[in-house]
Amino acid sequence: IRVLLNTFFLSLTLFLVGAGATLYAPPISAADTDIFLNPASTSGSTRPNVLVILDNTANWSESAGSSKKFDVEKAALSAFFSGLKPDGDNPSKFNVGLMLFAETGSPNNNIDGGYVRYHIREMEKNNSTALGNLISNLGINADKGNSASYALAMHEAYLYFKGLDSRSGHGKKKTDSGKPESITDPSNYNPGDTGVWENGPAGVMKTVSSEYVDPTKGSPCGGNYVVFISNGPPDKGENTDAEAALDKLKGKLTTDPIKLNPKGEQANWSDEYARFLNKNGIQTFTIDVLPASNGQGPDNTMLLKSMANQGDGIYYAVTSSVATSYTEQIKNIMTRIFDQIQAVNTIFASSALPISLSVRGTNENQVYLGMFRPEASRKPCWLGNLKLYKLGVPAGQDQVDLVDVNNA
């Protein structure tokens, strides 16, 4: 906008000066304007990819007023996802998937972490309805995770987003295989959708491979996001394995663990994983469902806040201090998160820069520089800035130089 306005004012100035008019010249200052963010189009290449990690452990059975957390979350999430389908002929706006904490014991293997219950798919009519129905039909005992392995679930989310070999997702009976029977309502399932595995008919895993289908392949310019929904504190038994797994990915820093206050969950590695995912283009939002004010509650809340902070997302809490029902709170929070995700993915400004040998455009004492950051995963859409500097004399110097808004 500033570029267009400056161009307009320059053209107007030349016209009026040529006509003999006297014109007040607006002050010129430096600026920094984001351009070339992800395009506004909701075509397949730009839809954001959202993975919801839902705590399905025993904490789910705790009371939430006259209901249980399990029933409140099911009602809210089922209604929300069913309502994500576009209106009329409008294009779909999101790709969404669901991860649960791993179930162990026959017929599953005993590897804790997370597994993809619903592969990230376009939220068109059938898939939106199918995901809502799947959540409606989850059973508080039939679909209970073995442990709240926060960090190892974040580890599995990273492997999934990057299309790498799974750690805990294979060997699980309910991992989305791409077959109609792998979700609850086959009548609303698109049989053309593949599941999470790279090989085999309809995405079914071959016995020699546990490699994930890259869920971002169909949306290379869309952002990638994790929405982590917690019902209570994580299990401490995962800490050693999670630390080793993060270190193997070269995501552990010498300053780790991240300092927390209160520090009861400081040894958990999920916030370090959120930082690592963010570095690799995956943001993390967290939802704390009915956080406790005593016991491990404050420690878990601090951990979830740190995950959101390190993941460049936002922490939200569902509490009794809000007048609306717990179900409505969750729906409203999900709406806010998805609205923010959509806003990030729809800011786009087309611009043109004058071409010169130095890739620099100038106007009076203004100097424009187009600067771009190559996408970490070599995707075709690059983020960038249009930098507006000016020619000036910095403090302590006696010659004109290129300076910023602070004359530095």
Side-chain angles (χ1 to χ4, degrees):
I1 293 173
R2 181 182 292 273
V3 176
L4 295 175
L5 287 175
N6 284 333
T7 303
F8 167 75
F9 279 122
L10 176 60
S11 301
L12 182 61
T13 300
L14 293 174
F15 170 77
L16 292 176
V17 169
T22 301
L23 181 73
Y24 166 72
I28 296 172
S29 61
D32 183 4
T33 305
D34 284 325
I35 61 171
F36 294 112
L37 294 179
N38 291 333
S41 167
T42 50
S43 65
S45 65
T46 60
R47 279 192 302 271
N49 306 298
V50 185
L51 179 66
V52 176
I53 301 179
L54 178 61
D55 182 350
N56 59 318
T57 58
N59 295 321
W60 225 353
S61 63
E62 293 180 0
S63 296
S66 59
S67 303
K68 296 183 182 296
K69 287 183 179 180
F70 172 78
D71 297 317
V72 167
E73 291 175 27
K74 279 206 317 177
L77 295 175
S78 176
F80 176 77
F81 289 122
S82 296
L84 274 186
K85 52 179 165 290
D87 296 325
D89 296 328
N90 294 327
S92 304
K93 297 178 180 179
F94 301 97
N95 299 328
V96 180
L98 176 68
M99 175 176 282
L100 301 177
F101 290 137
E103 299 175 47
T104 57
S106 182
N108 306 293
N109 62 25
N110 290 317
I111 302 175
D112 269 328
Y115 76 99
V116 180
R117 184 63 177 266
Y118 190 81
H119 183 47
I120 289 178
R121 293 177 173 85
E122 175 188 353
M123 285 293 98
E124 48 79 49
K125 180 179 179 181
N126 287 343
N127 291 337
S128 173
T129 301
L131 180 54
N133 288 343
L134 185 156
I135 292 174
S136 288
N137 286 279
L138 291 174
I140 198 166
N141 293 314
D143 297 288
K144 184 168 63 177
N146 181 60
S147 62
S149 300
Y150 276 30
L152 291 176
M154 293 289 282
H155 177 82
E156 197 71 15
Y158 170 77
L159 300 178
Y160 175 51
F161 270 110
K162 298 302 178 181
L164 301 174
D165 280 341
S166 74
R167 177 189 174 276
S168 59
H170 66 282
K172 301 295 187 289
K173 180 181 179 181
K174 297 174 185 174
T175 296
D176 187 354
S177 67
K179 297 187 293 185
E181 58 266 29
S182 69
I183 71 161
T184 302
D185 188 355
S187 65
N188 287 309
Y189 181 77
N190 183 351
D193 287 335
T194 58
V196 301
W197 305 119
E198 186 67 43
N199 300 299
V204 180
M205 180 182 67
K206 290 173 64 174
T207 56
V208 296
S209 174
S210 58
E211 183 180 358
Y212 279 121
V213 171
D214 179 355
T216 72
K217 189 177 294 183
S219 186
C221 295
N224 301 316
Y225 304 88
V226 165
V227 178
F228 193 100
I229 303 176
S230 166
N231 293 308
D235 290 304
K236 300 185 184 302
E238 68 164 341
N239 292 349
T240 300
D241 288 342
E243 179 181 3
L246 183 61
D247 191 37
K248 187 175 181 180
L249 292 174
K250 303 189 183 305
K252 183 182 174 184
L253 304 182
T254 56
T255 54
D256 287 336
I258 295 168
K259 303 302 183 286
L260 302 179
N261 184 24
K263 62 180 183 179
E265 294 297 346
Q266 185 169 289
N268 186 279
W269 291 88
S270 52
D271 51 347
E272 286 84 4
Y273 263 105
R275 179 191 64 204
F276 177 70
L277 264 66
N278 187 33
K279 183 179 178 181
N280 285 275
I282 307 164
Q283 290 180 246
T284 300
F285 293 81
T286 58
I287 302 177
D288 197 354
V289 180
L290 295 178
S293 58
N294 52 21
Q296 294 178 274
D299 297 325
N300 184 55
T301 293
M302 180 53 61
L303 177 63
L304 291 168
K305 288 180 176 180
S306 182
M307 288 174 65
N309 181 53
Q310 297 295 329
D312 199 23
I314 299 176
Y315 162 90
Y316 293 95
V318 178
T319 71
S320 58
S321 62
V322 179
T324 51
S325 69
Y326 300 138
T327 299
E328 286 301 312
Q329 283 187 60
I330 295 172
K331 287 173 61 179
N332 292 341
I333 289 171
M334 291 294 290
T335 299
R336 290 171 65 183
I337 291 174
F338 275 64
D339 282 348
Q340 181 169 354
I341 289 172
Q342 185 182 4
V344 169
N345 278 267
T346 55
I347 299 173
F348 179 75
S350 177
S351 65
L353 299 177
I355 297 176
S356 67
L357 292 178
S358 61
V359 196
R360 177 179 294 176
T362 62
N363 169 36
E364 298 182 339
N365 76 327
Q366 299 166 304
V367 180
Y368 298 97
L369 291 175
M371 306 184 72
F372 297 87
R373 183 183 70 207
E375 210 286 326
S377 303
R378 300 183 180 181
K379 297 174 184 176
C381 296
W382 288 6
L383 304 183
N385 292 91
L386 180 61
K387 305 285 188 181
L388 172 55
Y389 296 96
K390 61 184 178 181
L391 299 175
V393 180
Q397 294 189 24
D398 57 3
Q399 61 183 12
V400 174
D401 205 341
L402 192 64
V403 298
D404 63 13
V405 69
N406 298 316
N407 226 41

